[in-house]
Amino acid sequence: MKTSTIKTDILIIGGGSAGIMAALRAKEINPQQRVVIFEKGNVKYSGCLTKGTDALKVVTVPGTAAPEDYVEDAVLSCEGILDEGPSYEMAKRSWPLMKKLIDWGVGFPKNDGQYEIIKTHAQKGYTVTMKEPNLKGILFKRLQNTDCVILNRTMAVDLIKEDGRVAGAIGMNIRTGELIICNAKAVIISSGGCARFGLPSNGYLYGVYDCPANTGDGYNLAYQAGAELTGLEYTMHLTKDNPECERYAADKGISENNTEFRSTETFLCGGHGLTGIVINEKAESSIPGLFAAGDAANVGKGHLTGAFVFGEIAAETASEYVKTVSNEQAANSRYLKAIEDKIEKWLNTAKPEVTIEEFEYKTRRLIGDFLTSPKNENKLNRGIETMKIMQKELFEIVKIKNTHDLVKAFEAESIISCGILSATASKERKESRWGSFHYRSDYPAKDDEKFLKLLIVKKDEKTNLPAVSLRDPQKVLDLTGNNAGRVTVHE
Ligand SMILES: Cc1cc2nc3c(=O)[nH]c(=O)nc-3n(C[C@H](O)[C@H](O)[C@H](O)COP(=O)(O)OP(=O)(O)OC[C@H]3O[C@@H](n4cnc5c(N)ncnc54)[C@H](O)[C@@H]3O)c2cc1C
């Protein structure tokens, strides 16, 4: 396979909402620094945005709500399992972000001179109606005015680590199979959540709610590199919430009332849900050189606001970080060798019996069977066992005929890894929380005493297995006593 090597200051993995915003901000801060984007699809129309957004979900519009109000509401909506620092930072920057988008030509309709604010939280309203079907196009146009290197059709397949820090990634061109070694001083993961997790009720592998290119690659890459992840037990499914459906119905001239909409498949996501690479309010992960933003990160229920704000924050922190790294380090050849060996293994499968599509179908059906609520110890154990079997069979029985199949095999590897991590986390959370997203029939009650905590999953270096720990959610607001709830202890 052909290989090539590139060098950069900042590598961004995933050119969706968070990724584009990170690239734009990095260039705004320092036009001289080099920025490379690996995008599995095409930056022009990839990611969640083109699936249709009709609101900026979190904005603290002055005069209607304060960032502190949002944090209080967000903690309630996440049933206490939320690091407040990143959410507070997001809320503080949400109004300046909206003003910036307006300057860029993004439409936010007004009624009687007021923005339309929908109340989706318990106490106050933060969701501002946005009418901008071309939002990705607006962002893409701005990106075209920079000298960022955009590598479309390039899927990150491994992170490079040198001297304990993340120092780049290996990408694969999804059409030619060319391997690209990118030596970087800093890496931002913004590759979305794991949309292709459970199977949708229509049975189509790609008929999912979230962007189907998002297969939990970022979660898996970060996990394999030793970073902390959280919220993997938050296995969610949504009811219809998609302007795309509205537009589809309008285009076809049918009434939405006559159309049957079901709840979505189970998926993992940091934007709608709580799953993600653990980051702090500066978008730093638990390992040096690695930053995360958007649905790949755990800014609980941050939606598009979280992706945009943390795209920017990740770029700001990474831009500072690269100044501390003297040179982008040449990748140790073992990384390339490991990927080449893996590809070799796939191309020479001992008993090629099933297509990769059949294999993915079965994996995701098993995720539905064992990893989705109602959960219990027995099902979750079976889930871990079956995912491990799938992990093995991926290299033993799957026919890999071409580069396209190879890409899907890498994706299946991420989906299975997410399955193992999710089952492990769900097993450990011996309580029920978040309604049907984590319901344990063997522990049907909520247990705040033991489990009002974030469940952290991380690879154990010695055993190579996921290790789980619990920690208290980070608090930044003092909401007790007579302080009227507005004492900020964290700046
Ligand atoms: C249907 C729908 C409607 C929504 N509506 C709203 C709304 O109205 N308001 C709101 O605030 N939020 C809404 N959201 C949520 C919001 O759109 C997302 O939270 C946000 O866009 C996520 O941005 P992201 O950059 O993390 O992910 P994405 O924009 O999905 O970008 C991820 C990118 O990574 C790429 N990628 C994946 N794997 C790899 C890899 N291995 N290598 C390279 N690239 C990779 C993908 O191709 C993709 O382009 C909606 C989401 C959906 C799906």
Side-chain angles (χ1 to χ4, degrees):
M1 252 162 181
K2 201 176 148 201
T3 60
S4 57
T5 303
I6 52 171
K7 291 178 178 181
T8 186
D9 293 308
I10 301 177
L11 168 66
I12 298 169
I13 298 176
S17 320
I20 284 203
M21 217 57 170
L24 292 174
R25 186 75 185 115
K27 279 288 166 188
E28 195 175 62
I29 295 167
N30 177 3
Q32 267 71 51
Q33 66 183 337
R34 298 158 301 168
V35 176
V36 170
I37 304 176
F38 277 3
E39 167 52 51
K40 200 192 265 185
N42 184 324
V43 172
K44 192 173 176 184
Y45 34 67
S46 63
C48 283
L49 270 188
T50 36
K51 289 221 75 185
T53 40
D54 56 2
L56 198 53
K57 201 73 168 209
V58 181
V59 189
T60 51
V61 177
T64 67
E68 290 82 356
D69 295 320
Y70 171 72
V71 175
E72 265 186 82
D73 257 330
V75 170
L76 284 175
S77 104
C78 299
E79 297 189 24
I81 315 294
L82 181 80
D83 277 342
E84 291 179 3
S87 293
Y88 187 45
E89 209 54 41
M90 172 182 73
K92 279 198 294 187
R93 291 177 62 148
S94 61
W95 175 241
L97 167 80
M98 183 172 147
K99 284 199 294 189
K100 188 177 204 172
L101 293 176
I102 292 169
D103 283 348
W104 290 359
V106 177
F108 291 92
K110 281 186 172 176
N111 269 335
D112 297 330
Q114 303 293 321
Y115 291 111
E116 286 175 19
I117 301 175
I118 303 159
K119 187 168 173 284
T120 53
H121 285 75
Q123 300 179 141
K124 295 204 169 169
Y126 313 96
T127 298
V128 183
T129 303
M130 176 175 72
K131 288 265 181 283
E132 194 50 78
N134 188 35
L135 182 51
K136 191 78 204 277
I138 292 174
L139 298 177
F140 176 66
K141 238 187 181 149
R142 299 190 78 83
L143 187 67
Q144 279 183 307
N145 292 330
T146 70
D147 63 356
C148 291
V149 175
I150 305 168
L151 297 180
N152 282 326
R153 315 280 175 209
T154 303
M155 172 186 187
V157 292
D158 202 4
L159 287 182
I160 296 164
K161 234 176 129 183
E162 300 294 347
D163 299 333
R165 71 172 182 91
V166 171
I170 299 189
M172 185 177 78
N173 184 295
I174 67 167
R175 290 198 170 147
T176 63
E178 178 181 350
L179 293 174
I180 300 128
I181 302 144
C182 180
N183 299 312
K185 292 182 184 171
V187 175
I188 298 173
I189 293 187
S190 48
S191 55
C194 188
R196 276 170 36 218
F197 195 56
L199 273 181
S201 54
N202 60 26
Y204 291 118
L205 291 177
Y206 297 85
V208 292
Y209 169 81
D210 205 335
C211 167
N214 300 346
T215 44
D217 304 347
Y219 298 153
N220 186 37
L221 293 173
Y223 170 75
Q224 299 300 348
E228 291 184 348
L229 283 93
T230 192
L232 285 138
E233 68 279 28
Y234 193 93
T235 46
M236 61 172 172
H237 45 86
L238 302 175
T239 44
K240 186 207 89 118
D241 159 29
N242 190 348
E244 202 188 41
C245 301
E246 200 182 303
R247 279 203 292 275
Y248 176 83
D251 285 353
K252 299 274 172 204
I254 49 177
S255 156
E256 260 202 284
N257 299 333
N258 294 336
T259 315
E260 193 180 341
F261 292 113
R262 299 183 185 192
S263 73
T264 69
E265 63 291 335
T266 307
F267 67 110
L268 304 172
C269 175
H272 271 92
L274 301 183
T275 310
I277 299 164
V278 175
I279 57 163
N280 59 15
E281 61 284 356
K282 292 162 128 189
E284 292 164 321
S285 78
S286 57
I287 34 181
L290 184 66
F291 307 84
D295 291 356
N298 76 321
V299 186
K301 301 194 181 182
H303 293 81
L304 191 54
T305 314
F308 282 162
V309 168
F310 271 86
E312 292 205 326
I313 293 176
E316 289 159 14
T317 314
S319 299
E320 281 304 310
Y321 178 80
V322 297
K323 292 183 198 161
T324 68
V325 181
S326 50
N327 252 320
E328 69 289 318
Q329 220 156 344
N332 186 313
S333 56
R334 80 190 143 91
Y335 285 98
L336 182 63
K337 172 96 174 54
I339 292 295
E340 285 174 338
D341 287 352
K342 194 184 274 186
I343 292 173
E344 188 74 21
K345 232 167 146 184
W346 267 322
L347 296 175
N348 297 297
T349 305
K351 286 190 230 153
E353 286 167 4
V354 298
T355 65
I356 184 67
E357 288 83 1
E358 287 168 321
F359 182 84
E360 182 181 326
Y361 188 94
K362 183 166 176 191
T363 303
R364 291 172 55 193
R365 191 172 59 71
L366 291 167
I367 286 173
D369 286 349
F370 297 127
L371 274 54
T372 305
S373 297
K375 308 171 187 176
N376 61 48
E377 191 85 2
N378 183 38
K379 274 174 76 177
L380 293 166
N381 281 334
R382 291 282 311 278
I384 295 173
E385 274 166 36
T386 51
M387 286 300 116
K388 284 187 176 163
I389 292 169
M390 298 312 278
Q391 212 168 32
K392 201 160 154 278
E393 291 193 340
L394 180 58
F395 291 93
E396 290 174 352
I397 60 162
V398 181
K399 283 182 234 167
I400 303 291
K401 307 179 295 296
N402 50 37
T403 313
H404 196 58
D405 287 352
L406 212 46
V407 171
K408 291 181 181 195
F410 274 113
E411 291 183 332
E413 197 180 31
S414 295
I415 297 168
I416 295 168
S417 171
C418 287
I420 292 176
L421 299 182
S422 177
T424 307
S426 293
K427 219 181 115 173
E428 222 41 48
R429 188 172 283 285
K430 295 183 184 353
E431 62 153 2
S432 292
R433 196 176 286 267
W434 310 304
S436 59
F437 298 171
H438 179 72
Y439 176 71
R440 290 274 310 242
S441 54
D442 47 353
Y443 297 96
K446 192 192 282 188
D447 183 351
D448 275 348
E449 205 172 306
K450 283 192 194 140
F451 290 105
L452 189 61
K453 291 177 189 294
L454 270 83
L455 213 143
I456 308 290
V457 180
K458 187 182 165 184
K459 188 160 89 173
D460 183 317
E461 295 284 334
K462 288 193 192 116
T463 61
N464 261 347
L465 293 171
V468 178
S469 57
L470 289 163
R471 74 151 164 82
D472 289 331
Q474 178 210 19
K475 297 273 170 213
V476 297
L477 302 181
D478 180 358
L479 301 171
T480 56
N482 300 322
N483 289 331
R486 298 296 126 84
V487 179
T488 305
V489 292
H490 170 92
E491 269 300 345

